[in-house]
Amino acid sequence: MELQAQTLVSAKWLANMVDRNPVGPGLRILDTSWYLPMMNRDAKKEFAETHIPGASFFDIDECSDRTSKFDHTLPNEQFFADYVRNLGIGNDSHVVVYDASDFGAFSCTRVWWMFRLFGHTQVSVLNGGFRDWVKRGHPTTATYSRPEAARFTATMERSWVKSFEDMTKNINRQQFQVVDVRPRERFLGWEPEPREDVKSGHIPGSKCMPFSEFLDKDGMMLSPEKLKEFFEQSQIDLQKPLCGSCGSGVTACHMMLAAHLCGAPSATVYDGSWYEWFTKAPPEHVVTEVKPEI
């Protein structure tokens, strides 16, 4: 039976692991940083300047279906397997993912979910991310040694991914709850989307749970008890199927992580998310709300 890694690991735990055993085939650390253009940050450049010792860089845009018109669409099994094996990751590797965002977690949950989606459960999120690692005084480096390629086989769990057609049918059938993790102002149609060719709003029947509210002020994931309260306050029943959505499928995976920590039995991601929905849906399925006058 395949082992499942602890979902969240602390900076102290990872620092102890790195001290005792140099990063290698048994433990691989990935900087999965990715930013919106509006954030004015260069993830690859920052990785080259500073990262956790032994880490490699996982590029969400490169590990994607490059034929898709939408951003970082999921790749197929073979592409994912080839990409991660070239990062020295094998089927027995314990993978720890983090990002260097100011949030504490931004894009790392997408890569955590991707590994699980492709059948690799030995994956953990560094709770608090690079932000907490640095805050606690753990070492960083600019040195990078490309790992030796490993053997990795991927098997995709396709039922974990929703398509545009699935989302359209669900408007009437209501077979699963839709959780949109974008900021409320974008969800309501009050603030613009990061992409100039996309207007804000939301999918009919969806509920808003901003991804930043899954984290505390220090960038750490809320406890399962507090996460369950957040879901309940947002009128989401964790015992019923649910699907995460965001701008382009990255932060939607915060909902997946939160649901997993709460023991939810059925959670999925709409990979195309709002970018695809706005592009394909008829105008009546792009919902906005009137902003109240102050």
Side-chain angles (χ1 to χ4, degrees), residues 195-212:
R195 297 165 181 80
E196 293 183 357
D197 58 340
V198 178
K199 294 182 179 179
S200 57
H202 59 268
I203 298 169
S206 58
K207 301 288 177 61
C208 184
M209 295 181 69
F211 80 88
S212 59

Side-chain angles (χ1 to χ4, degrees), residues 1-16:
M1 183 176 70
E2 185 180 359
L3 295 174
Q4 292 211 25
Q6 187 175 342
T7 304
L8 300 175
V9 296
S10 68
K12 181 179 180 181
W13 179 91
L14 185 58
N16 287 338

Side-chain angles (χ1 to χ4, degrees), residues 229-246:
E229 288 179 10
F230 185 26
F231 278 110
E232 185 176 350
Q233 291 167 359
S234 304
Q235 300 179 318
I236 297 296
D237 186 343
L238 287 169
Q239 296 309 307
K240 296 180 179 179
L242 60 160
C243 175
S245 180
C246 58

Side-chain angles (χ1 to χ4, degrees), residues 216-268:
D216 67 17
K217 61 181 178 60
D218 296 315
M220 314 293 277
M221 282 295 292
L222 298 178
S223 67
E225 292 73 27
K226 289 185 177 179
L227 289 171
K228 288 176 182 176
E229 288 179 10
F230 185 26
F231 278 110
E232 185 176 350
Q233 291 167 359
S234 304
Q235 300 179 318
I236 297 296
D237 186 343
L238 287 169
Q239 296 309 307
K240 296 180 179 179
L242 60 160
C243 175
S245 180
C246 58
S248 59
V250 175
T251 55
C253 299
H254 279 257
M255 190 282 296
M256 289 296 294
L257 177 59
H260 180 73
L261 290 170
C262 293
S266 178
T268 58

Side-chain angles (χ1 to χ4, degrees), residues 26-67:
L27 174 66
R28 291 299 186 192
I29 305 171
L30 298 179
D31 181 331
T32 66
S33 300
W34 173 88
Y35 303 110
L36 293 165
M38 61 191 288
M39 294 177 171
N40 295 315
R41 292 183 64 173
D42 185 331
K44 282 186 177 180
K45 181 175 181 291
E46 290 181 19
F47 173 81
E49 294 170 349
T50 182
H51 54 263
I52 295 175
S56 293
F57 186 76
F58 186 107
D59 191 321
I60 289 175
D61 287 324
E62 284 187 8
C63 188
S64 67
D65 178 359
R66 309 301 287 276
T67 66

Side-chain angles (χ1 to χ4, degrees), residues 9 21 49 51 64 68 75 94 114 116 137-138 143 178 180 201 237 245:
V9 296
N21 302 296
E49 294 170 349
H51 54 263
S64 67
S68 172
H94 180 188
M114 287 175 72
R116 292 180 58 82
H138 294 305
T143 302
V178 180
D180 190 323
D237 186 343
S245 180

